[in-house]
Amino acid sequence: MSHPIDYSQPAASQVDTLSTLGPTQETEAAQPIVLQARGALGQRLDRFLADQLEAVSRTRLQKWIALGAVKVDGLQVLARHKLRGLESIEVVPLPSEAERAFEPDPVELNVVYEDADLMIIDKPVGLVVHPAPGHWRGTLMNGLLYARPDSARLPRAGIVHRLDKDTSGLMMVARSERAFERLTVAVAERSVHRRYVAVVHGETPIRFSIDAPIGRDPRDRLRMAVVDLQRGKAACTHVVRLASAGGLSLLCCDLETGRTHQIRVHLSSRGFALVGDTLYGGHPMRGCTRQALHAWRLALAHPISGQRLAFESRLPDDLAALLAQSGLPEPVVPDEVKRG
């Protein structure tokens, strides 16, 4: 397992090899570099990184920032972000292949709401949200760059959170710099409410919560796992069983945090793997060949006006068919959950 490296001095020597590595080698070799911004009061983030990582051009660093590979105190920021001199900055070096990620592609977007600052998208199954090794083109980000060219000025074209490739449902995207900054903070402060529908193997308790850290599975780098806090990040999922039938349970899941594969890992750790989720112990059933997980409802305060907004996404056909064939009803949130 890779561990962050803490550099309090200029780290140019630590990335010298990046200029000689091929794309695959870079991806495998890259480890997070952690820099302290001591003495950088008032400096732009991209300028500070260029001074610290001399082997990487400022232009390339700006692209890393735009792809979300740089975080300041755990948050995505703009390349022109002014440092206070107290921050911890994590940089994940990206392969040269990543340069292709900024090309616009004609990806169909199902936009359910849009104004000058905010867009809400209903993501279909199979669409990768953000460029990454193996998926540098044809992602949601590429589609945003094609449909809204002005989004190129924002990190990740305004994407502030992700859904897995085979998870469907609602996502929010910033359309302005001020909205991006405020939505990023709102996600970090857990003031955005995200509710998911899941179908799992087995009959779960009626109501339960899973509060367990999540990190990379030390035995399989493609998986996440419940780990100790030293190796992972805090994660909390609240679950209500809406119905059960035929050895399956229909669940409503509320997230307090948004870790990679959080719902899938948490439920699997309790013995309730999602239908279709072969990575975490589930298996396909009745035409559902992907993890039976849908980002069903999204509620947030508008990042500029503060107006309370709420959206709901219709279940996609494969999940609706799975419910019908399993004798499970369409999801309806119980009154006590609504009040919560």
Side-chain angles (χ1 to χ4, degrees):
M1 179 177 181
S2 299
H3 297 282
I5 306 169
D6 189 355
Y7 299 104
S8 58
Q9 300 299 323
S13 62
Q14 306 296 330
V15 293
D16 284 342
T17 55
L18 285 181
S19 60
T20 60
L21 290 175
T24 302
Q25 290 174 296
E26 287 184 20
T27 302
E28 293 174 350
Q31 293 184 358
I33 298 170
V34 179
L35 302 167
Q36 305 304 322
R38 290 191 291 271
L41 176 64
Q43 283 193 43
R44 281 176 55 119
L45 173 62
D46 57 349
R47 169 54 63 190
F48 171 76
L49 293 178
D51 290 342
Q52 297 290 306
L53 308 176
E54 295 175 0
V56 187
S57 72
R58 186 175 177 183
T59 299
R60 193 174 184 192
L61 286 166
Q62 289 170 341
K63 291 182 178 180
W64 289 3
I65 294 168
L67 283 169
V70 177
K71 291 188 177 180
V72 177
D73 287 339
L75 297 178
Q76 292 177 234
V77 296
L78 302 170
R80 60 177 175 77
H81 174 81
K82 294 294 182 66
L83 296 171
R84 295 177 293 110
L86 303 172
E87 299 92 339
S88 177
I89 303 168
E90 182 178 274
V91 182
V92 179
L94 294 179
S96 56
E97 261 186 301
E99 308 297 322
R100 302 169 53 205
F102 293 91
E103 296 296 323
D105 290 322
V107 177
E108 184 176 352
L109 304 178
N110 183 9
V111 179
V112 299
Y113 173 89
E114 184 174 11
D115 60 30
D117 299 288
L118 176 67
M119 177 189 291
I120 305 296
I121 291 174
D122 198 341
K123 188 189 87 68
V125 174
L127 178 61
V128 175
V129 169
H130 183 262
H135 296 283
W136 293 116
R137 296 291 298 275
T139 69
L140 172 61
M141 192 188 90
N142 300 112
L144 288 167
L145 292 171
Y146 181 88
R148 308 290 188 275
D150 61 331
S151 65
R153 71 187 189 280
L154 303 172
R156 298 186 183 184
I159 296 169
V160 294
H161 68 119
R162 303 188 193 186
L163 293 178
D164 296 337
K165 173 186 174 183
D166 290 328
T167 297
S168 52
L170 296 169
M171 287 187 59
M172 56 186 179
V173 176
R175 292 286 293 120
S176 66
E177 292 184 4
R178 58 180 183 169
F180 180 86
E181 293 169 347
R182 294 180 187 181
L183 287 174
T184 300
V185 171
V187 170
E189 293 180 345
R190 307 176 186 178
S191 60
V192 176
H193 186 79
R194 292 169 284 175
R195 176 165 285 167
Y196 292 72
V197 168
V199 184
V200 300
H201 299 284
E203 184 168 332
T204 72
I206 293 177
R207 180 189 296 269
F208 60 104
S209 294
I210 305 173
D211 192 347
I214 290 176
R216 286 286 172 192
D217 188 328
R219 295 167 297 181
D220 184 348
R221 297 288 297 165
L222 296 178
R223 290 165 45 103
M224 307 299 286
V226 170
V227 297
D228 58 56
L229 263 177
Q230 289 184 329
R231 293 165 50 202
K233 295 182 179 180
C236 186
T237 307
H238 303 293
V239 185
V240 174
R241 189 184 78 208
L242 303 179
S244 61
L248 302 178
S249 294
L250 172 65
L251 307 180
C252 171
C253 303
D254 285 8
L255 295 183
E256 276 197 24
T257 53
R259 308 305 177 202
T260 302
H261 298 179
Q262 178 172 320
I263 292 174
R264 301 165 64 188
V265 171
H266 270 171
L267 290 174
S268 176
S269 73
R270 293 291 185 90
F272 304 115
L274 273 72
V275 169
D277 192 359
T278 56
L279 186 62
Y280 293 105
H283 56 266
M285 287 185 66
R286 301 175 183 126
C288 185
T289 57
R290 52 98 174 191
Q291 65 257 19
L293 185 63
H294 181 65
W296 183 35
R297 293 186 172 188
L298 176 65
L300 69 154
H302 190 280
I304 306 304
S305 70
Q307 178 186 0
R308 197 67 186 168
L309 302 174
F311 306 91
E312 182 174 314
S313 169
R314 183 181 66 84
L315 291 187
D317 292 343
D318 62 341
L319 289 190
L322 173 64
L323 297 185
Q325 294 174 33
S326 303
L328 292 167
E330 289 285 324
V332 177
V333 181
D335 288 340
E336 64 271 20
V337 177
K338 289 180 182 177
R339 287 196 296 272

